[in-house]
Amino acid sequence: MKWTDMEIDELERQYSPSRWSRRMSADDVIEAHVKALKEGTARARGLAQTLLNVPYGDGDGEKLDVYIPSTDSLDVHLVVYLHGGYWQFLSKEESGFMAVPLVDKGVVVVAVGYDIAPKGNMDLMVAQVRRSVVSVVQQYSHIRGLYLCGHSAGAHLAAMVLSTDWSQFSVAPQIKGAFLVSGIYDLLPILSTYVNEPLKMTEEVALRNSPSRLVPQLQLSSACCHVVVVVAENESPEFRKQSEDYYKTLEAAGLNVSMEDVANTDHFNIIEQLVDGDYHLTQLLLKMMGKS
């Protein structure tokens, strides 16, 4: 599809989440976001036992950070967190923040590292996060419930995990729940935007990595998973549409899916607040685990 310059300008505005925050300027909201994630992760590392840089593959970027609660229970709930950053920014180093309220409830949190662009391409990142989940299942045999949480680009990657053909792997993870927060599920609209410059996706790559087009596979691999599609009140219309369309597609396919439209949030503080045990999404996740 060919876009005019005016259409590309509008697409880029729609796919620039920082320009839609009502709290502060675009540059300031990103700076504040990184600061909040780093501070939350530092708190989590002070509260929990940690296993940092655990390999799940041979690549330098294929590492996990594990936040472990003080519990004698062998059967634990475990959340795998996939960070955002438009597949080209952030890392697992700022991704432990949601462990702050969860380790206190006996929940293990795993922050996944993957090779962001330009080092990593979309096919590689999807393959890496899939292998990270397989590795977690193999390393933690006493998982009572496995859950995914992803933000923005991480929500896209989490949705791709749900759409995995597990017959290619040695195990088939039984994912009980997935929180897809402010995600992108159809990659075609971003092909002509600045977002794709470091990714260098072709239309073919975008199609095979668009979760909205892989729902039949998700029906086979994650039929028992409760998928929660989450969107912030102050997202761009296009980001909201991405979430609403994906939710409707899953619902039409008969999957166990719900949608959460979180008031008084934007693309950034909707995930930052998972550091708080009283936050709506934290409570929703704990309730899904039977821990509220």
Side-chain angles (χ1 to χ4, degrees):
M1 184 184 293
K2 293 291 185 185
W3 303 91
T4 66
D5 288 347
M6 190 176 294
E7 287 171 328
I8 290 171
D9 285 348
E10 179 55 23
L11 268 180
E12 296 206 333
R13 192 174 79 90
Q14 289 285 331
Y15 283 98
S16 299
S18 58
R19 294 169 68 175
W20 297 83
S21 172
R22 298 180 182 179
R23 295 180 294 133
M24 54 188 87
S25 73
D27 288 345
D28 287 348
V29 79
I30 292 174
E31 187 178 330
H33 182 58
V34 175
K35 183 171 182 280
L37 299 187
K38 284 182 174 177
E39 288 177 352
T41 300
R43 278 180 63 194
R45 290 185 178 185
L47 288 169
Q49 296 174 268
T50 56
L51 295 171
L52 305 179
N53 299 311
V54 179
Y56 66 83
D58 297 329
D60 291 342
E62 297 177 353
K63 303 281 197 305
L64 311 167
D65 288 346
V66 186
Y67 296 79
I68 305 167
S70 299
T71 175
D72 296 326
S73 173
L74 286 175
D75 297 317
V76 296
H77 294 269
L78 187 148
V79 179
V80 172
Y81 179 73
L82 301 173
H83 70 80
Y86 256 158
W87 307 279
Q88 57 198 275
F89 182 52
L90 296 175
S91 71
K92 70 177 179 59
E93 304 304 320
E94 310 88 19
S95 299
F97 57 95
M98 70 182 298
V100 172
L102 295 185
V103 290
D104 190 43
K105 299 283 189 177
V107 180
V108 177
V109 175
V110 176
V112 176
Y114 54 90
D115 283 318
I116 57 175
K119 182 179 181 182
N121 59 43
M122 189 60 70
D123 287 327
L124 175 64
M125 286 183 261
V126 169
Q128 285 177 327
V129 296
R130 285 171 169 166
R131 279 190 283 112
S132 77
V133 173
V134 169
S135 176
V136 166
V137 172
Q138 290 172 330
Q139 290 182 52
Y140 294 90
S141 57
H142 295 292
I143 297 173
R144 186 174 173 192
L146 177 64
Y147 302 83
L148 298 179
C149 180
H151 174 238
S152 196
H156 160 265
L157 293 172
M160 289 300 291
V161 170
L162 294 179
S163 305
T164 304
D165 176 2
W166 296 113
S167 67
Q168 302 169 39
F169 296 87
S170 54
V171 296
Q174 300 300 307
I175 301 167
K176 289 190 175 181
F179 275 64
L180 310 178
V181 185
S182 296
I184 293 179
Y185 310 101
D186 180 0
L187 300 183
L188 287 182
I190 65 171
L191 283 181
S192 301
T193 71
Y194 72 93
V195 179
N196 194 37
E197 287 171 13
L199 294 165
K200 296 181 169 53
M201 283 189 295
T202 62
E203 186 171 326
E204 182 186 10
V205 171
L207 284 170
R208 68 169 171 258
N209 289 295
S210 287
S212 61
R213 299 164 193 275
L214 300 173
V215 173
Q217 184 57 51
L218 189 148
Q219 285 175 286
L220 293 172
S221 68
S222 305
C224 298
C225 177
H226 179 190
V227 181
V228 185
V229 180
V230 186
V231 66
E233 179 183 8
N234 298 320
E235 294 276 11
S236 73
E238 191 66 21
F239 257 92
R240 291 183 66 83
K241 184 177 184 297
Q242 285 262 357
S243 289
E244 288 164 0
D245 288 354
Y246 189 52
Y247 163 72
K248 289 172 185 172
T249 303
L250 297 186
E251 187 182 44
L255 287 151
N256 180 10
V257 60
S258 55
M259 184 152 184
E260 291 290 324
D261 193 335
V262 186
N264 303 314
T265 58
D266 57 35
H267 188 84
F268 303 95
N269 64 359
I270 191 171
I271 198 75
E272 294 164 10
Q273 292 180 75
L274 280 173
V275 76
D276 180 0
D278 294 325
Y279 177 46
H280 172 62
L281 292 184
T282 311
Q283 286 293 310
L284 205 60
L285 180 56
L286 288 169
K287 184 177 180 182
M288 189 185 282
M289 297 176 181
K291 288 181 171 287
S292 59

